Amino acid sequence: MLPTLLRLEWRHLRRDTAFWIATAVLALAVIGGLASGFAWTRFQQETIDRARTMAEERLAAAKTDAARYRASPPDRLNPNLDPRDARGFEFSYLRRFALLPPTPAAPLAVGQSDLLPTVLRVTYRPKETFLNPYEIENPLRLLLGRFDATFVAIYLLPLGILAVSSSLLTREREAGTLALLASLPLSFRRWLAVRFLLRGGLFLGAFAMATLAGWLLFGGSLEALESVLTWLVLALLYGGFWFALSWWVGSRARTPAACALTLSGAWLAWVVILPATLNLLVRHLYPPPARAAFQDAVRHGTDEAQRRGSQLLAKYLEDHPELAPGDTPANENDFFRTRFAINAEIERLSAPLRARFGQQLSRQQSLIEQLRWLSPALVLHHHALTLAGTDRARHQRWLEAIDGLHARLVQFFEPRLLRSADFQDYDAVPVFEFSDPPPSRGALGPALAALLLPSLLFVLLGAARLRSVQP
Amino acid sequence: MLTARSLHKKFGSAIALHALDLNVAPGEIYALLGPNGAGKTTTINLFLGFLQPDGGSATVAGVNVALDPIRARHALAYIPEQVNLYPHFSGLENLSYFSELAGQRYAETKLRAFLQESGLQAEAHDRRVSTYSKGMRQKVGIAIALAKDAKALLLDEPTSGLDPAASHEFSALLKTLAGRGVAILMATHDLFRAKSDATRLGIMRHGRLVHELGGPEVRAADLEKLYLESIAD
């Protein structure tokens, strides 16, 4: 009976223009989303490559210029431009970048990688001088997120599914064909299930094909294929959830209008309202200090530290006796000693503010991770960002690696800046160390269950409801 | 073939059918008459398994509809007041679709023969149903019943809205089917058509079968009088 039902449903489907238009639009949308994701990732990679090239070129230039100046010392050269001087090397030549390269699967989900920095020049100066130098982008983009494959999966895929499946039963009732169908000796539930399965299979199949074709078309890495396939499985289960919901709502609704209204309300609630409400809730429960107030406090601290420069210097030298002037003339390097003292004070002042900021963000993140199970859209979003490496957690690990580099740069440069002349440790400058942990698929199980179980529930509820159908 | 035994149906506190006993034998055309709300459509819906009875039983070819509706429907065909078909299919495609769903697969020539037999002109077979008149759609409904090779036919106001010629043609088809041994139960308001087609007539009122009489014996004027008397409060 199943092949007959499939063949008969195919007769309907091949003439269902709306279905084919919706399928084509979705396929084009996911290809468009991938194109946008690839364009952004390419831009990020080019920026990172430029930064890397610049760092290498400047280091090579430092060595060349230093050799030239040693061979033929110039008459007058500003120490800030002299690569033989640690000051000049650090100021004019050293470009030590912390780079966060996109993962091979990054084109799947841009996430907030277009808002958060992925290239930062790290120096021995206070972190506030190089962290957060970027501008927040267009607020509209902040609200909607960049158009990418994950955006298509979360927002457009369910809309397409509702368009092609919401009225499969109610339309028959409204058109009056249900009476004839219900009088036939067939399991009505099976007939409707075949309608859903064929449409669902073709619609989601087209989505999967378009995703894989787009991935290969835009030169996506084969190394990321496992992540792409995992993303696809999650997106298809998410699609399955919407088909199951449509099946259940369709089994209860009397008219296509009531069915469409209920389903669009569910879409609005799960995809738009619930995530926005949770966002507001976590912000209300764990409000981070306002960034402006944070910057203001740091600026205040800087001014205060500079005003108390000599006082701070005395205290600083107590803590760092190895940096005391010793036999050298007392004021020769006082600028740097004072600078270090001020830097240390700024770090001391800003550390608790930054810690509070980080703590609140981490609490927000942890709460939203617990609450994400309330919405399948949030489940897919969370895992899509993790798979693409554009999640907050990866960015946080990167910022922690920047902290490490900063501490090592301070340790490296402070004594050398005081000695300043005859700097030759070009290759000993600490380098940025960041690597991604091996991928963990541990969290995938709960995500699959979170998408599968409600779908199963809706399927069973709908099936129970369809035991008998009244035309 | 179609048997109701003490068939009872309530909608909330309202009794729609009160202990109905009815039997339609093969080759019989039974016309159920009565005003709106008398219980005619409820009776048909109970035979189709669209409704669950609150008491008694409706059986089709010996199968209790409430217990095994799918098996009961194997022996049944149904023509509602409005035969609504898929407008994007032709008459031929609709017939093929509903026949296959009912478990019968025919060659195209056979399907055309069914349409021809039901009176649908050949030039309309391949036209989209969206261009059909009500009478033409009723003919496709008859063709579906023919193709199904049903032992019993249930009709709910089948001639409502048909012009006299179409109504006459429809009556002739019913008689042909009855001649082949099909048991036909028809709910109708059309006294004239009931008188001319039915072998037996039943008049219903407030869910009860108040009169039952043989079609051929009764005169049209007597039937009208009896009907009006029966439905008067």
Side-chain angles (χ1 to χ4, degrees):
Chain A
M1 192 61 184
L2 191 66
T4 306
L5 288 176
L6 281 169
R7 192 166 37 78
L8 291 176
E9 185 52 28
W10 173 247
R11 287 190 201 167
H12 277 301
L13 197 53
R14 68 181 182 192
R15 295 192 192 177
D16 190 343
T17 318
F19 174 84
W20 294 112
I21 289 176
T23 307
V25 167
L26 183 76
L28 288 175
V30 77
I31 288 174
L34 282 171
S36 167
F38 272 99
W40 172 250
T41 310
R42 244 191 324 271
F43 168 75
Q44 271 187 317
Q45 193 57 57
E46 281 164 10
T47 309
I48 286 168
D49 291 344
R50 269 204 307 278
R52 199 173 275 140
T53 308
M54 184 198 287
E56 285 164 4
E57 283 174 357
R58 295 305 297 158
L59 183 62
K63 290 177 183 172
T64 314
D65 290 352
R68 186 156 48 87
Y69 294 149
R70 280 193 186 101
S72 150
D75 291 340
R76 277 175 68 84
L77 187 62
N78 184 336
N80 283 332
L81 302 175
D82 190 346
R84 296 166 302 169
D85 187 307
R87 282 173 288 181
F89 170 70
E90 197 282 335
F91 184 74
S92 299
Y93 290 90
L94 181 67
R95 296 293 179 267
R96 184 59 84 220
F97 291 107
L99 305 172
L100 182 63
T103 66
L108 285 175
V110 170
Q112 292 199 346
S113 68
D114 55 349
L115 294 176
L116 300 170
T118 49
V119 176
L120 278 182
R121 186 189 165 199
V122 184
T123 71
Y124 72 92
R125 295 172 186 82
K127 275 179 270 187
E128 293 319 310
T129 60
F130 60 81
L131 279 176
N132 312 322
Y134 49 89
E135 289 295 327
I136 295 293
E137 281 199 41
N138 184 340
L140 188 66
R141 179 170 288 171
L142 256 177
L143 193 68
L144 296 173
R146 187 174 278 263
F147 181 74
D148 56 16
T150 297
F151 177 91
V152 174
I154 290 176
Y155 291 91
L156 304 186
L157 177 67
L159 285 178
I161 289 170
L162 302 189
V164 302
S165 71
S166 70
S167 57
L168 283 183
L169 176 60
T170 47
R171 200 169 48 194
E172 299 284 345
R173 183 175 279 126
E174 194 171 68
T177 39
L178 192 59
L180 267 186
L181 286 167
S183 71
L184 297 176
L186 84 153
S187 159
F188 194 77
R189 206 161 41 178
R190 192 181 301 168
W191 172 79
L192 193 63
V194 166
R195 300 201 94 179
F196 268 88
L197 284 175
L198 185 62
R199 281 156 198 265
L202 286 172
F203 195 72
L204 293 178
F207 176 79
M209 287 295 124
T211 303
L212 290 174
W215 187 260
L216 298 174
L217 182 74
F218 296 118
S221 159
L222 291 179
E223 186 193 334
L225 212 53
E226 189 192 334
S227 298
V228 176
L229 290 175
T230 309
W231 179 90
L232 206 47
V233 167
L234 289 167
L236 295 179
L237 284 178
Y238 177 70
F241 166 85
W242 288 101
F243 268 113
L245 181 70
S246 176
W247 156 271
W248 177 54
V249 172
S251 74
R252 298 180 62 85
R254 296 294 298 174
T255 63
C259 190
L261 200 66
T262 309
L263 287 170
S264 47
W267 178 85
L268 201 64
W270 263 316
V271 178
V272 181
I273 296 174
L274 188 65
T277 308
L278 293 182
N279 207 12
L280 281 176
L281 179 74
V282 295
R283 278 174 182 278
H284 178 72
L285 290 176
Y286 303 114
R291 191 167 284 277
F294 174 57
Q295 298 286 13
D296 196 43
V298 170
R299 194 167 300 121
H300 223 74
T302 309
D303 291 347
E304 179 63 18
Q306 277 166 350
R307 204 175 51 77
R308 293 165 49 221
S310 53
Q311 203 184 335
L312 290 171
L313 175 60
K315 186 178 178 308
Y316 182 74
L317 290 178
E318 273 176 34
D319 296 339
H320 299 273
E322 77 281 3
L323 298 181
D327 296 337
T328 53
N331 62 351
E332 187 180 303
N333 284 317
D334 271 3
F335 169 78
F336 278 106
R337 287 194 184 88
T338 310
R339 189 72 253 164
F340 297 157
I342 292 169
N343 288 355
E345 179 67 358
I346 292 170
E347 288 290 346
R348 192 185 68 76
L349 287 171
S350 62
L353 290 169
R354 198 181 304 115
R356 165 117 181 104
F357 203 81
Q359 198 177 38
Q360 292 297 80
L361 281 184
S362 149
R363 282 176 176 158
Q364 284 185 0
Q365 198 61 28
S366 143
L367 183 62
I368 206 86
E369 280 184 18
Q370 287 166 31
L371 294 175
R372 74 174 186 273
W373 305 111
L374 294 175
S375 162
L378 285 178
V379 173
L380 177 59
H381 185 251
H382 174 85
H383 286 275
L385 295 194
T386 307
L387 285 165
T390 49
D391 53 319
R392 276 269 181 186
R394 181 171 187 250
H395 201 264
Q396 195 52 43
R397 287 199 304 277
W398 183 67
L399 290 177
E400 282 161 16
I402 289 177
D403 275 352
L405 174 64
H406 177 255
R408 283 182 285 129
L409 283 175
V410 169
Q411 207 177 20
F412 180 84
F413 273 109
E414 284 193 350
R416 286 171 176 79
L417 286 169
L418 292 176
R419 264 190 263 123
S420 83
D422 201 26
F423 177 81
Q424 294 195 40
D425 300 335
Y426 302 110
D427 294 321
V429 180
V431 293
F432 182 62
E433 287 163 3
F434 174 77
S435 62
D436 284 309
S440 155
R441 298 284 179 253
L444 215 54
L448 296 177
L451 294 170
L452 260 175
L453 291 179
S455 310
L456 205 61
L457 178 71
F458 290 139
V459 168
L460 292 176
L461 287 173
R465 183 86 187 175
L466 288 165
R467 250 199 315 251
S468 67
V469 174
Q470 278 191 31
Chain B
M1 181 58 62
L2 292 168
T3 309
R5 289 273 174 270
S6 303
L7 195 58
H8 192 81
K9 180 68 191 172
K10 284 192 300 185
F11 292 110
S13 59
I15 296 175
L17 209 56
H18 191 91
L20 176 74
D21 284 307
L22 184 77
N23 186 49
V24 185
E28 244 191 329
I29 301 179
Y30 192 111
L32 271 181
L33 298 165
N36 290 334
K40 304 184 300 292
T41 300
T42 301
T43 306
I44 300 241
N45 284 342
L46 283 163
F47 274 113
L48 284 164
F50 292 171
L51 296 173
Q52 286 293 308
D54 294 310
S57 65
T59 58
V60 178
V63 179
N64 188 322
V65 180
L67 299 180
D68 194 350
I70 292 184
R71 202 150 73 88
R73 285 179 200 143
H74 272 290
L76 271 181
Y78 171 55
I79 300 181
E81 181 180 353
Q82 293 274 351
V83 175
N84 289 306
L85 303 162
Y86 292 111
H88 51 276
F89 284 169
S90 67
L92 186 73
E93 286 168 330
N94 267 290
L95 174 58
S96 162
Y97 180 82
F98 283 104
S99 303
E100 286 197 47
L101 273 184
Q104 311 267 16
R105 196 168 181 190
Y106 295 106
E108 189 185 321
T109 47
K110 184 72 179 160
L111 292 170
R112 288 186 191 279
F114 286 130
L115 288 172
Q116 202 71 45
E117 192 180 348
S118 65
L120 189 71
Q121 57 272 41
E123 63 84 19
H125 291 187
D126 298 307
R127 250 175 40 209
R128 285 194 171 204
V129 159
S130 53
T131 64
Y132 280 19
S133 68
K134 184 184 173 189
M136 291 164 85
R137 290 202 309 272
Q138 296 289 85
K139 286 171 184 172
V140 178
I142 289 278
I144 292 170
L146 287 171
K148 201 175 169 193
D149 196 21
K151 294 187 178 74
L153 181 60
L154 298 169
L155 304 115
D156 195 359
E157 309 285 357
T159 52
S160 146
L162 292 186
D163 63 48
S167 183
H168 176 76
E169 236 180 307
F170 192 79
S171 294
L173 277 167
L174 289 188
K175 284 177 181 161
T176 309
L177 284 171
R180 289 182 193 165
V182 177
I184 299 174
L185 176 63
M186 168 171 69
T188 182
H189 289 295
D190 187 344
L191 296 185
F192 172 76
R193 198 48 63 200
K195 161 74 191 78
S196 75
D197 297 346
T199 48
R200 271 199 303 151
L201 298 155
I203 301 176
M204 293 187 78
R205 179 172 174 257
H206 296 324
R208 290 173 195 271
L209 188 62
V210 290
H211 282 293
E212 207 171 24
L213 53 158
E217 301 97 69
V218 68
R219 288 193 308 132
D222 295 341
L223 176 62
E224 188 175 16
K225 191 169 170 232
L226 183 64
Y227 179 79
L228 292 172
E229 280 170 8
S230 302
I231 66 169
D233 281 320

